[in-house]
Amino acid sequence: MQWDFSPVWANWDFLALGFVNSLKVFVVSLLLGLPVGLALALMRLSQSRLLSWPALVVIEIMRSTPPIVTLFWVFFAAPLILGLRIGSFEASVVTLGIASAAFFAEIFRAGIVSVEKGLVEASMALAMTPAQSTRRVVLPIAIKRMVAAFFERSVELLKGTTLVSTVAYADLMYNANALVQETYRPLEIYSVVALFYFGFIYVASIITGRVEVYLARTGEAGGH
Amino acid sequence: MIWDYQSILANWPVIWRGLVGTMHMGFVCIAMSMSIGLVVGSARYSRSLVFRIPATAFVEFFRNTPVLVQIIWFFFAFPVFTGIKITPFWAGVLGVSLNGAAYCAEIFRGGIQNIARGQWEACRALGMNYRQTMGRVILPQAIKRMLPPLTNRAVEMIKATAIASIIAYYELLHSARIISSNFFNPIESYTAVAIVFIVVIWPLTYTTRLMEKRLSVSD
């Protein structure tokens, strides 16, 4: 067997373009997932069943279906139901965004629940409204406690972006497939792509790990 | 819009075959990843660098690469590399279970390391040897704590088997594709398959949550 990496190096810009698209999907899904996740968490914590039940249903459905199944549903079935044209980019970010939102919601919720009741009562005693107490006391503490789980989920999302190649969005994996079909060098191309993903995600995990340690050191026990 | 349930009900054998495919791959992956994970986890726990370095490399590599990339690599690149032909089933199993094994290894290692050191010392003070300490004190507690994350991992692996449909392994998502391309009913077929997934997976995630809740009470 002869290794020949020339197709990879000759087409590095094509692959780089794919990776930029992967990052685009990642960033947009994250920006969509965070607010939706926070909204779902607040709905779940609400006293009113009218709010908490729909949130629970969305969270359970998204957590119990493989993201690739949801993606196919959004790409092939949703356009017919809604009568809209949905492109592969939109389908990808909506699916990955809402799928991560379901996990973010549980992280937000666990973080919020972990904040001691006494702090909420103290803020009430200081005449804060529930909304003020949530925004000024509970969320700042909760967010710090959630950072580790939140980073872990974001790394999962980054890995999940490879799924979008299955609905023909031109991410790194899709471009790698196209290159393989053209050059018949699956071993070299897929190995380089796999190592690249590993390197990028590994560095991302290390950086997020450092940030966690830093945040933990700056005192979570209400040092501010 | 009219929902055409008939075409789904008439094709139940296709969905059934997909479900069998999903569960078959899921169980093989769970069994493989737990056994590999146990070996790798013990190696990571070992004092000798000869065991610890390769085990750490294994965990870091497989945890930080997307499953889809691994499945594609095993299906298209591995045969060129080794000259061994590989079926979609085994490419899927290798991709999903090696990834799962890396996570399981961490769960096993963490489960044992998280038991307070004082307990080891207490056992030694009571005259227990390593095997007795492990079997009577450490493992019973560790297993209890590892059960929820392991179930969670099993769920993630069953979900990940759906990715094997891209290399034409016959599982649930593949069934949906077959039905929808024959009957032009993507809404019904993809919805039906999503429901089957929820019916299979939701009880598992629910049990995990119950276990976690009970554990936090008993600890």
Side-chain angles (χ1 to χ4, degrees):
Chain A
M1 191 195 65
Q2 204 87 57
W3 289 83
D4 175 14
F5 284 102
S6 57
V8 181
W9 311 140
N11 296 291
W12 74 269
D13 48 341
F14 181 58
L15 294 173
L17 192 71
F19 188 60
V20 170
N21 284 338
S22 302
L23 290 181
K24 235 189 267 173
V25 172
F26 171 71
V27 171
V28 177
S29 311
L30 195 63
L31 290 179
L32 191 73
L34 282 176
V36 175
L38 182 59
L40 284 173
L42 294 176
M43 280 168 76
R44 263 212 75 180
L45 287 168
S46 138
Q47 305 285 331
S48 147
R49 294 220 161 146
L50 222 61
L51 288 173
S52 70
W53 276 82
L56 186 69
V57 170
V58 171
I59 292 171
E60 294 295 331
I61 288 180
M62 295 312 287
R63 287 172 62 123
S64 305
T65 32
I68 191 172
V69 173
T70 323
L71 180 60
F72 276 43
W73 195 89
V74 172
F75 190 64
F76 293 112
L80 298 176
I81 295 176
L82 302 171
L84 290 170
R85 277 181 62 112
I86 299 180
S88 55
F89 179 75
E90 291 81 6
S92 302
V93 294
V94 166
T95 306
L96 293 175
I98 295 179
S100 337
F103 285 92
F104 285 142
E106 287 300 282
I107 297 171
F108 279 123
R109 194 181 63 92
I112 292 171
V113 170
S114 82
V115 176
E116 291 77 8
K117 254 193 127 73
L119 284 172
V120 180
E121 286 163 7
S123 60
M124 296 290 185
L126 291 170
M128 287 190 193
T129 64
Q132 281 175 326
S133 151
T134 303
R135 205 174 59 235
R136 297 194 190 158
V137 179
V138 177
L139 278 185
I141 297 174
I143 284 172
K144 224 171 205 185
R145 287 185 187 165
M146 308 179 299
V147 163
F150 164 75
F151 280 153
E152 198 177 303
R153 247 305 121 188
S154 307
V155 170
E156 288 298 315
L157 172 62
L158 187 57
K159 290 193 258 177
T161 59
T162 49
L163 295 178
V164 308
S165 61
T166 59
V167 291
Y169 181 69
D171 76 326
L172 175 55
M173 209 51 209
Y174 184 82
N175 284 3
N177 292 338
L179 209 55
V180 166
Q181 268 154 28
E182 210 166 286
T183 61
Y184 305 107
R185 305 299 312 188
L187 176 58
E188 291 84 353
I189 293 169
Y190 286 134
S191 300
V192 168
V193 167
L195 284 175
F196 177 77
Y197 267 117
F198 164 68
F200 190 83
I201 296 168
Y202 184 56
V203 170
S205 319
I206 289 179
I207 293 173
T208 53
R210 288 275 158 81
V211 175
E212 275 162 37
V213 172
Y214 172 77
L215 283 178
R217 224 188 307 132
T218 55
E220 87 116 24
H224 48 94
Chain B
M1 195 191 69
I2 302 151
W3 285 68
D4 173 22
Y5 298 106
Q6 222 48 50
S7 58
I8 298 300
L9 295 178
N11 283 297
W12 72 267
V14 178
I15 298 209
W16 176 250
R17 169 124 193 247
L19 179 61
V20 171
T22 295
M23 294 323 275
H24 182 198
M25 186 181 273
F27 281 124
V28 173
C29 288
I30 291 168
M32 264 181 71
S33 65
M34 302 248 170
S35 8
I36 300 173
L38 195 58
V39 174
V40 176
S42 326
R44 276 207 77 178
Y45 187 59
S46 144
R47 283 211 190 99
S48 148
L49 284 179
V50 183
F51 292 114
R52 214 164 61 209
I53 291 175
T56 308
F58 175 91
V59 169
E60 293 298 352
F61 182 77
F62 283 102
R63 264 205 325 186
N64 290 306
T65 349
V67 178
L68 183 137
V69 177
Q70 288 170 23
I71 292 177
I72 296 258
W73 192 90
F74 276 112
F75 193 60
F76 293 106
F78 181 77
V80 182
F81 188 47
T82 57
I84 300 168
K85 275 200 87 163
I86 193 166
T87 59
F89 176 77
W90 283 107
V93 165
L94 282 172
V96 174
S97 63
L98 290 180
N99 184 272
Y103 283 94
C104 289
E106 285 301 272
I107 296 171
F108 287 129
R109 188 181 65 105
I112 290 177
Q113 275 183 347
N114 281 345
I115 305 293
R117 273 228 81 77
Q119 300 206 17
W120 284 93
E121 287 153 13
C123 290
R124 180 169 289 179
L126 290 170
M128 288 191 189
N129 60 28
Y130 176 82
R131 182 171 270 187
Q132 285 170 327
T133 310
M134 207 50 162
R136 295 192 193 161
V137 179
I138 306 295
L139 276 186
Q141 300 178 73
I143 288 171
K144 203 178 83 173
R145 284 187 204 174
M146 290 184 298
L147 219 49
L150 283 178
T151 324
N152 212 4
R153 212 9 72 190
V155 167
E156 288 301 319
M157 280 192 278
I158 297 174
K159 280 157 71 178
T161 59
I163 300 174
S165 67
I166 59 171
I167 50 171
Y169 173 64
Y170 201 146
E171 47 68 70
L172 277 167
L173 190 56
H174 191 71
S175 312
R177 199 178 297 165
I178 293 175
I179 299 175
S180 85
S181 58
N182 281 310
F183 295 88
F184 310 107
N185 57 350
I187 303 178
E188 293 83 354
S189 47
Y190 287 112
T191 307
V193 159
I195 291 172
V196 175
F197 265 111
I198 292 170
V199 168
V200 171
I201 288 172
W202 188 77
L204 284 171
T205 55
Y206 186 72
T207 321
T208 320
R209 228 145 331 129
L210 275 189
M211 278 195 286
E212 275 166 0
K213 212 174 270 175
R214 191 164 301 172
L215 263 181
S216 62
V217 171
S218 77
D219 266 353

